[in-house]
Amino acid sequence: MIQNNPYKNYYKNLFDSIPDYWDSIYNKDTFFGYHYQRRRQQIAELLYMTAPKPDQTVLDVGCGAGGYFPIYLSPGLIVNGI
């Protein structure tokens, strides 16, 4: 594994700075917020069940702004999004 991967750091910083607008849509008790939070929970459960190894690659098709990337990056996965 490459230490201090500049792309990983770049995208981590990018997604850590999601604007308040999107945060208010996805993380509050709204229709969209409920569905987004539920999908995020399901993805985390799926990752837990499949037990991917660090450095495995994940393809997130339809990732939008990449809101699920932190879930993938936390166990050390490599993420590609379209």
Side-chain angles (χ1 to χ4, degrees), residues 65-77:
Y68 302 121
F69 279 26
I71 296 171
Y72 305 134
L73 295 174
S74 64
L77 300 175

Side-chain angles (χ1 to χ4, degrees), residues 29-67:
D29 292 331
T30 64
F31 175 78
F32 294 111
Y34 169 78
H35 289 283
Y36 177 79
Q37 293 167 34
R38 182 67 184 125
R39 285 192 313 258
R40 186 171 42 199
Q41 180 183 357
Q42 289 173 328
I43 289 169
E45 290 171 0
L46 179 63
L47 282 175
Y48 176 77
M49 288 186 306
T50 58
K53 307 269 188 285
D55 293 331
Q56 282 186 311
T57 301
V58 172
L59 174 61
D60 188 344
V61 177
C63 66

